[in-house]
Amino acid sequence: MIRTAEQLSEAERQEAWASPALQPHDEHNQRLRQATHPADWTNPTPKGRYNLIVIGAGTAGLVTAAGAAGMGAKVALIERSLMGGDCLNVGCVPSKALIRCARAVADVRDAATFGVKVDAEPQVDFAAVMERMRKIRAEMSSHDSVARFTELGIDVYLGEAKFTSRDTVEVGRQSLRFARAAITTGARAIALPIKGLEDVGYLTNETVFSLTELPKRLAVIGAGPIGCEMAQAFSRLGSQVTLIEAEPRIMPREDAEAAEIVEYAMHRDGVSIICGGKTVDITGEGSDKVLRLDCQGTAKEVRVDEILLGVGRAPNVESLNLEAAGVDYAKQGVQVNDYLQTSNANIYAAGDVASEYKFTHAADAMARIVIQNALFFGRAKVSDLSIPWCTYTDPEVAHVGLYEHEAKEQGTAVQTLTINLADVDRARLDGETEGFLRVHLKQGSDRILGATLVARHAGEMISEITATMVAGKGLGSLAKTIHPYPTQAEVIKKAADAYNRTRLTPRIKSAFKTLLKWRR
C-alpha cells in the first residue's frame, strides 16, 4: 500500500506540502506530514458495504471512527487534508503552545512581585517559540495518525470525498457504499468583506502558526476568543498589537464584567484596543498595511506589518455534493435535528460543520451521540449536553450553561451569587486575584442554570460545576464537598456556602435561637 518517496512524482511531493500548517519545511513538519497525510499513501480497495463512512478526520470524525470500530463496525474514514483537523494542525494545539510561551514571558516580567529580581527585560526568540510548537505538534500527531487509525481496523482514504447517491461516496476513482455515514468536515477561516484585504494579504488561524519571524506591528480584527487569545500572546512576545472589534466591547458574548477584567489585563500587556471600530478599507503603502477605520463617526488609521483575522468561519460543505445524498444545508452548515440526523435519515453530522458550538470538546461529545444513534438506534440528544467553554486569555474566562440574560429571556427567575478571587486565600498567595466566580441559580432552589469563572486556570476549574450540573445535583451539594486547602477551586466551595447562608432567613434564625435556648 505504501510507495517510497523516490516513487512519488514531483507533483505529488509538492501536493504533500500544500497545507499552510506544513510550512516551514523542517524536520518537525516532515514528521507531522508523515503522520497525518503521508505522501506515499495508497488508498485501500473497498470490500463490500461499510457500516459507517466518516467524512472528515478532525476531532468529531476521529472520535466517531474510532468509537464505531471499537464496537466492531466496519468503518471507512476519509480525509482530504491533514488527519487531526484544525485542533491538531491549526487550532487548539499550536495556539495553546504559543500562549504558554507568552505566559512565560509575563511570568518573568512580573517576577519582581515575588521577590525575584531579573536584571533585564526578557528576550524572546520567536523562531525558537515557533519551533517548540512545531516539535510538540509533531509529537502529538501520532494520536491522530493514519497509521494509528489503520491499526484500529479502519480503512483510511486520503482524498476528496463527494456523495454520488443517498448511500454511496466517491473518493478518488473509487465508490464506497454505506449503511450509515457521518459528515464531520469541520469549518474553515474566511476573509471578511473588507475592501483591499485580499490585495494586501492577511493571516488566519490556518497560516499564523507558520510564521518564523515575529511581526513588529500586528492588527487583529475581531475580539472574540481567537482574536483576544492571539492579541495578548503576540503582544507578550513583543509585537505592537492593535485589537479591532466592531462591537462596543471585547468578548461581546461573555459576561461584561469578565470581559472588562480581560480588557484591563490586555492593556497591561500592551495591547491597543479599538472597540466600535468598523474597518472601511485597507491599502498597501510600501511595506505598511494601512487600515482605515470608522469609529462611530471618527476616522482612525492603523499601520501594521501583518493583519490577523480573528473572526469569520464557514462550514466545509461545498465539495461534498450533498444534493445527491439528499442532505439539506445552509450558510450555517449541515442541518441536523436534536439527534444529529440530517434530512437523509442514514446520514449524520457532527462538529463545526453542523454546530454553533465550535469547540473540540463539543465535537467529541457530539461524535459519541452519532455513534450511539447511528449504530445502536439510540435517542441521545444534543440538547441534553452541558457544554462548557473557555477563552485562554490570562486570566481565562470559562463558562457553562446559561447567562443571566438568557435565563430571564426564557422566563426563568434567577438568583445570582458572585465570589471574588480576592477572597480566596490561594489566589492571594499566587498573586492571581483578578477574577471571580458567578453562579446563576433558579430562584428558590440550588439548581445551577449557568456559571462564569474568571481565573488564571478557569478552564481547569469549571468542570467541577459542569459535573454537578450533569449529575443533576445543586450548588448546595458542593458545600458538602471537601476541597483541599489552599486551592483556587475553593472559590466554588465559597459560592456553595454563600448559597446555604441565603437559606438562613430571619424566621429560621429565630427558630434556631429558640431551639438552642431549650438545649442550654
Side-chain angles (χ1 to χ4, degrees), residues 18 72 94 136 188 295 404 454 487 520:
I136 294 173
R188 66 188 184 280
C295 300
E404 184 175 12
V454 184
T487 59
R520 284 179 183 171

Side-chain angles (χ1 to χ4, degrees), residues 58-59 84-95 137 144 205 360-361:
T59 298
D86 273 14
C87 182
L88 171 67
N89 298 292
V90 295
C92 311
V93 170
S95 67
R137 182 175 61 180
D144 299 345
N205 72 294
T360 294
H361 50 281

Side-chain angles (χ1 to χ4, degrees), residues 318-383:
E318 291 82 4
S319 62
L320 294 173
N321 194 27
L322 294 175
E323 294 83 358
V327 173
D328 293 339
Y329 64 97
K331 182 179 180 181
Q332 294 75 24
V334 175
Q335 297 179 337
V336 294
N337 60 21
D338 206 15
Y339 307 102
L340 294 180
Q341 202 169 28
T342 71
S343 51
N344 180 331
N346 293 324
I347 299 177
Y348 293 74
D352 290 6
V353 75
S355 174
E356 63 176 304
Y357 298 105
K358 302 191 186 306
F359 312 117
T360 294
H361 50 281
D364 181 302
M366 286 184 277
R368 296 166 194 266
I369 289 177
V370 169
I371 296 168
Q372 182 176 343
N373 293 350
L375 298 182
F376 301 102
F377 307 104
R379 302 297 286 172
K381 297 180 180 180
V382 174
S383 58

Side-chain angles (χ1 to χ4, degrees), residues 393-466:
T393 47
D394 190 7
E396 298 173 353
V397 178
H399 181 84
V400 64
L402 299 176
Y403 294 96
E404 184 175 12
H405 70 88
E406 291 176 327
K408 290 180 177 178
E409 288 166 3
Q410 294 179 8
T412 303
V414 177
Q415 177 187 2
T416 298
L417 300 172
T418 300
I419 306 296
N420 292 317
L421 276 186
D423 297 327
V424 178
D425 291 351
R426 181 58 185 270
R428 292 175 64 85
L429 295 167
D430 290 341
E432 298 171 2
T433 57
E434 296 175 334
F436 61 83
L437 170 63
R438 180 161 291 151
V439 184
H440 306 300
L441 307 175
K442 184 176 181 181
Q443 186 71 49
S445 78
D446 70 341
R447 179 188 167 199
I448 303 172
L449 300 175
T452 294
L453 180 57
V454 184
R456 195 170 208 197
H457 303 286
E460 306 286 351
M461 297 159 63
I462 196 70
S463 293
E464 184 176 356
I465 295 175
T466 306

Side-chain angles (χ1 to χ4, degrees), residues 54-321:
V54 182
I55 304 174
T59 298
L62 294 176
V63 173
T64 300
M71 295 290 184
K74 182 180 179 182
V75 180
L77 175 62
I78 305 171
E79 174 55 51
R80 67 179 180 181
S81 184
L82 305 179
M83 298 272 285
D86 273 14
C87 182
L88 171 67
N89 298 292
V90 295
C92 311
V93 170
S95 67
K96 302 315 170 276
L98 196 69
I99 287 169
R100 181 60 186 90
C101 292
R103 182 172 289 186
V105 176
D107 286 342
V108 174
R109 179 197 65 194
D110 299 335
T113 304
F114 301 92
V116 179
K117 294 183 179 180
V118 179
D119 292 335
E121 285 292 313
Q123 301 298 307
V124 176
D125 183 342
F126 185 73
V129 167
M130 299 305 281
E131 183 178 9
R132 174 184 181 272
M133 177 274 292
R134 295 194 299 274
K135 179 176 182 293
I136 294 173
R137 182 175 61 180
E139 291 170 349
M140 294 174 67
S141 66
S142 61
H143 300 298
D144 299 345
S145 66
V146 171
R148 175 171 179 256
F149 279 78
T150 300
E151 289 169 1
L152 292 175
I154 297 167
D155 284 354
V156 177
Y157 294 83
L158 299 181
E160 192 88 52
K162 67 175 181 179
F163 288 97
T164 50
S165 74
R166 294 180 66 87
D167 67 349
T168 56
V169 170
E170 183 179 272
V171 55
R173 297 180 179 178
Q174 299 189 94
S175 181
L176 285 60
R177 293 183 61 232
F178 61 84
R180 300 286 188 273
I183 301 169
T184 57
T185 49
R188 66 188 184 280
I190 58 172
L192 298 175
I194 301 172
K195 182 181 179 182
L197 177 64
E198 293 285 353
D199 295 332
V200 302
Y202 57 92
L203 300 168
T204 68
N205 72 294
E206 295 173 3
T207 54
V208 68
F209 302 114
S210 295
L211 291 175
T212 55
E213 294 184 8
L214 180 72
K216 292 183 178 179
R217 301 166 299 170
L218 176 67
V220 179
I221 299 178
I226 295 174
C228 286
E229 288 176 4
M230 291 297 96
Q232 186 180 45
F234 271 91
S235 184
R236 285 178 162 185
L237 292 171
S239 288
Q240 180 182 322
V241 177
T242 302
L243 178 61
I244 302 166
E245 171 57 51
E247 296 294 325
R249 64 176 177 87
I250 68 167
M251 304 173 73
R253 288 189 57 187
E254 296 293 349
D255 180 286
E257 188 177 350
E260 185 178 342
I261 291 172
V262 173
E263 183 171 350
Y264 173 80
M266 292 176 72
H267 277 303
R268 183 179 58 204
D269 286 323
V271 179
S272 175
I273 300 175
I274 300 175
C275 289
K278 179 182 178 182
T279 307
V280 177
D281 63 61
I282 304 173
T283 57
E285 296 183 10
S287 61
D288 289 356
K289 299 179 181 183
V290 185
L291 295 84
R292 294 180 178 84
L293 311 178
D294 179 1
C295 300
Q296 299 175 333
T298 301
K300 287 189 178 181
E301 183 178 281
V302 178
R303 290 177 175 266
V304 296
D305 302 295
E306 293 287 357
I307 299 168
L308 171 62
L309 299 186
V311 65
R313 306 283 292 171
N316 294 319
V317 296
E318 291 82 4
S319 62
L320 294 173
N321 194 27

